[in-house]
Amino acid sequence: MQRSKTIALGLLVVVVIAIAVVVSRSSKPRPSITATSASAKPSASVAVAAPPPSASAAELLLGEPVDGESAGFDILPDGKKAPPLPATAPQSVSFGVVVFSYQGAEFAAPSARTKDQAREKALAAVADAKSDFSKAVAGGDRGSTASAGRVPRGVLEPAAEYVLFTLPKGEVAPTPVDTPRGYWVVRRND
């Protein structure tokens, strides 16, 4: 009788552990890289999408596919490929962003606008952003903020990084930048 109780208790412990493992694996949050303000009280953060689970180590480090293609996010608004950052570009910048997501973009709702509609809204927001960035932020989608914090080189996609890191301090980019999360109207804060 004692032996059967021990075996039953052992099986119960194994079942409880198995259930705990399954639950913990299914409820783990996806990792994300965040850029936060250097101040003691960060006001906001921008989540940068986590790579797919099948990404190689090189893709994880570089933030883009190893074959050099980055799904079109290395193309500047003028249609040219983003060049390497100049040596005079800072190592990190703080920035604000107005986001306009579209169907198929990361974190976009299934009912999001089309890519063309998002581009049109982003183009219209550039004028507002140049005169009153806070007003433009209020008209943007979730994730828009006047202070997204500080981001170092190598975190953003090539086109977004080039535009942001080559902007003069306090300036708004003259055209929106296409990113995996939607069109961005960016302002370099410092």
Side-chain angles (χ1 to χ4, degrees):
M1 185 69 174
Q2 182 66 15
R3 184 174 177 185
S4 61
K5 284 183 182 180
T6 304
I7 291 172
L9 184 60
L11 288 174
L12 180 63
V13 169
V14 169
V15 169
V16 168
I17 290 172
I19 291 171
V21 168
V22 169
V23 168
S24 70
R25 283 189 179 178
S26 65
S27 65
K28 269 188 185 175
R30 296 193 80 176
S32 65
I33 302 169
T34 58
T36 58
S37 174
S39 67
K41 184 180 174 189
S43 60
S45 67
V46 172
V48 180
S54 62
S56 69
E59 289 172 331
L60 293 173
L61 290 172
L62 298 174
E64 60 186 37
V66 176
D67 63 7
E69 294 183 25
S70 55
F73 301 115
D74 61 344
I75 305 300
L76 294 171
D78 65 2
K80 296 178 184 171
K81 187 170 180 153
L85 286 175
T88 57
Q91 293 299 310
S92 66
V93 295
S94 66
F95 71 106
V97 62
V98 184
V99 179
F100 294 95
S101 62
Y102 52 80
Q103 293 172 358
E106 294 174 359
F107 312 116
S111 61
R113 64 183 68 84
T114 66
K115 189 171 184 176
D116 288 337
Q117 291 169 332
R119 179 169 166 65
E120 291 303 316
K121 284 191 69 95
L123 285 168
V126 169
D128 284 341
K130 288 183 177 184
S131 62
D132 184 356
F133 198 76
S134 296
K135 179 181 175 187
V137 166
D141 292 342
R142 192 178 120 232
S144 299
T145 179
S147 180
R150 184 162 290 284
V151 64
R153 286 180 171 200
V155 172
L156 299 174
E157 295 75 30
E161 182 172 271
Y162 184 82
V163 168
L164 183 60
F165 279 73
T166 57
L167 271 175
K169 292 178 183 178
E171 293 291 317
V172 172
T175 55
V177 181
D178 191 13
T179 74
R181 294 157 301 284
Y183 281 100
W184 281 12
V185 175
V186 294
R187 177 184 69 183
R188 181 174 161 195
N189 293 336
D190 76 0

